[in-house]
Amino acid sequence: MTWTIWVDDWQMQCCGKSFAPGDVVSWTLLEVDPEDYADVVGGERADGIDFREEHHGQGGERAPTVVEVVSVVEIHCRYGVVPGATDTANRPVPGTTVLVPVEKADGWAEARPDVSFTGYLVTVRRAADELRSDGTTVADRLVPPGGDE
């Protein structure tokens, strides 16, 4: 079984650790309201987001979940004043999403015309403690806190 996790660009840029497909990571996962992501990724794709990654204390006493990264996709979209808005705040402009599959997430992305990098959609599977043929478990490959090993 796989899950789709939203990872904010700013959280990665602040103090996140790089990760890539095949890495095992320990993340605090919080449930999401798909409406929070609909303008960024579209309603259908937002409905498929299971959790968001949080490492700035908003997870309370929630224990981290050990997961294996399956794939990573950068999310870019245009920001602007949405037609019909009563304020002048820049918001994601629906329908402008650009998805870019990548081999590593480090919080930074190559600039793309007319859109801004906003985060990642990460497909993961729960890491099992099954013994592998090399004598290790998936959890043995956990990327240690503060390191990119």
Side-chain angles (χ1 to χ4, degrees), residues 31-112:
E31 291 183 13
V32 299
D33 179 351
E35 284 299 311
D36 292 343
Y37 302 93
D39 287 345
V40 177
V41 298
E44 186 174 323
R45 190 168 281 114
D47 285 341
I49 300 173
D50 299 297
F51 300 98
R52 69 180 174 89
E53 185 272 340
E54 174 62 51
H55 62 265
H56 282 95
Q58 293 179 6
E61 298 299 317
R62 186 173 294 249
T65 301
V66 178
V67 295
E68 182 177 10
V69 176
V70 174
S71 65
V72 182
V73 176
E74 291 175 353
I75 305 298
H76 302 254
C77 72
R78 186 175 337 126
Y79 285 82
V81 177
V82 179
T86 58
D87 61 19
T88 58
N90 281 334
R91 303 200 189 288
V93 177
T96 63
T97 303
V98 175
L99 289 80
V100 181
V102 294
E103 291 301 316
K104 184 175 184 178
D106 64 5
W108 305 98
E110 184 177 322
R112 302 206 167 266

